[in-house]
């Protein structure tokens, strides 16, 4: 006997509900057995790939979150993720989470969701140790500054000095050198091809700590950067679970332990965990 249209509709609806209840139609990171997490791989103290694996604050936090979600270290894949592909990787499903010095912004929230923040820092300036002429952001007006593609930091300078956040024109064209990652900027600063690198103080501190006495962190931050965990925009359940993991990390002392171990002397600047922005 042929089923009526009404019966077919009910059957399809019941099947869909069953699949959702069993997780078959649920794309949340909650309940996954494996995770792919995007990190930076060229930032000492934050996300660095070495011959022995991955190290840094973002790496430690990524693994902590995974364990909180029930995923063991061996079931976590860390994937190199540069600033210019973070949203793309999340939207395309190439990664489940991004923990990669990822500043929360309204513009980025239109594409992805954020848990956190887990760290608050600010844009600062790194110069050669002997350079005493650069004392703050306004000193950069007539200088050549290196930045990374996809990062908000060079855009902020272009807007400050050129009136628009356009790194290809106006002030940006003559004064910004844009490369694929801040690690690539360091050799240009070492050989004086650029006068400075400007981005988050945590990133610059990591570089400075690698070769004591070679560089100077100006120490005059001129923005507020809230590092968050990026994930799919519609995964509210996943975002809540990651925020729960961060809250536990703040409470049990792991956050401060990671800070001190990964940021060294600069860890003294971070004594209190930030307030989570649940929404």
């Amino acid at each position: 006997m042929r089923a009526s249209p009404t019966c077919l509709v009910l059957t399809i609806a019941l099947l869909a509900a069953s699949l959702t209840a069993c997780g078959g139609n649920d794309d949340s990171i909650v309940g996954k057995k494996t995770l792919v997490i995007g990190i930076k791989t060229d930032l000492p103290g934050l996300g660095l790939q070495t011959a022995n694996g991955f190290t840094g604050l973002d790496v430690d936090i990524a693994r902590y979150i995974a364990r909180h979600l029930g995923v063991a270290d061996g079931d976590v894949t860390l994937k190199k993720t540069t600033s210019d592909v973070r949203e793309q990787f999340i939207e395309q499903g190439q990664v489940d989470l991004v923990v990669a010095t990822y500043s929360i912004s309204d513009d980025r929230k239109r594409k992805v969701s954020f848990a956190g923040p887990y760290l608050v820092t600010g844009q600062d300036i790194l110069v050669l140790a002997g350079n005493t002429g650069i004392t703050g952001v306004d000193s950069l007006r007539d200088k050549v500054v290196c930045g990374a593609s996809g990062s908000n930091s060079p855009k902020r300078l272009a807007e400050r000095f050129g009136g628009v956040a356009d790194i290809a024109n106006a002030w940006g064209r003559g004064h910004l050198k844009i490369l694929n990652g801040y690690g690539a900027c360091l050799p240009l600063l070492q050989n004086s091809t650029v006068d400075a690198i400007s981005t988050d103080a945590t990133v610059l501190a990591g570089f400075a700590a690698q070769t004591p006495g070679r560089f100077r962190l100006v120490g005059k931050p001129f923005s507020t950067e809230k590092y968050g965990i990026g994930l799919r925009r519609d995964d509210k359940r996943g975002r809540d679970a990651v925020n729960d993991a961060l809250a536990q990390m703040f409470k049990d002392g792991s956050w401060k332990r990671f800070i001190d171990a990964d940021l060294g002397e600069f860890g003294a600047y971070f004594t209190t965990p930030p307030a989570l922005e649940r929404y």
Side-chain angles (χ1 to χ4, degrees), residues 101-264:
T101 64
Y102 202 2
S103 296
I104 300 170
S105 72
D106 290 339
D107 182 58
R108 287 170 175 166
K109 282 181 180 179
R110 296 186 183 98
K111 300 176 182 177
V112 302
S113 179
F114 285 99
Y118 62 88
L119 191 73
V120 177
T121 183
Q123 185 169 346
D124 211 321
I125 305 161
L126 190 71
V127 298
L128 291 174
N131 184 335
T132 58
I134 295 178
T135 57
V137 62
D138 288 334
S139 303
L140 299 179
R141 183 180 297 275
D142 299 319
K143 307 299 183 183
V144 180
V145 185
C146 195
S149 174
S151 169
N152 284 332
S153 299
K155 294 179 182 179
R156 186 174 291 111
L157 292 176
E159 188 172 38
R160 186 183 187 98
F161 298 129
V164 293
D166 187 347
I167 60 177
N169 295 291
W171 182 88
R173 182 172 57 239
H175 296 277
L176 285 170
K177 182 75 172 177
I178 306 301
L179 301 179
N180 188 28
Y182 284 101
C185 286
L186 205 60
L188 300 189
L189 180 58
Q190 289 175 316
N191 64 27
S192 297
T193 299
V194 300
D195 299 297
I197 305 172
S198 182
T199 189
D200 303 346
T202 46
V203 174
L204 301 177
F207 288 138
Q210 296 298 292
T211 50
R214 179 73 171 129
F215 303 104
R216 177 174 68 88
L217 182 64
V218 172
K220 297 287 183 65
F222 52 95
S223 74
T224 299
E225 306 299 321
K226 299 178 179 180
Y227 287 174
I229 313 295
L231 64 163
R232 267 196 21 255
R233 195 167 184 271
D234 59 351
D235 189 5
K236 184 180 187 306
R237 196 153 67 99
R239 184 176 71 243
D240 289 345
V242 174
N243 272 326
D244 289 345
L246 293 176
Q248 181 63 32
M249 183 181 68
F250 296 162
K251 183 179 180 181
D252 67 19
S254 296
W255 179 82
K256 185 56 177 169
R257 186 169 67 253
F258 295 155
I259 290 282
D260 292 341
D262 294 318
L263 299 184

Side-chain angles (χ1 to χ4, degrees), residues 25-48:
N25 196 33
D26 187 352
D27 292 329
S28 176
I29 59 170
V30 177
K32 296 193 73 167
K33 302 301 182 185
T34 62
L35 288 173
V36 179
I37 302 180
I39 62 164
K40 296 286 184 69
T41 59
D42 62 347
L43 301 181
L46 292 166
L48 184 68

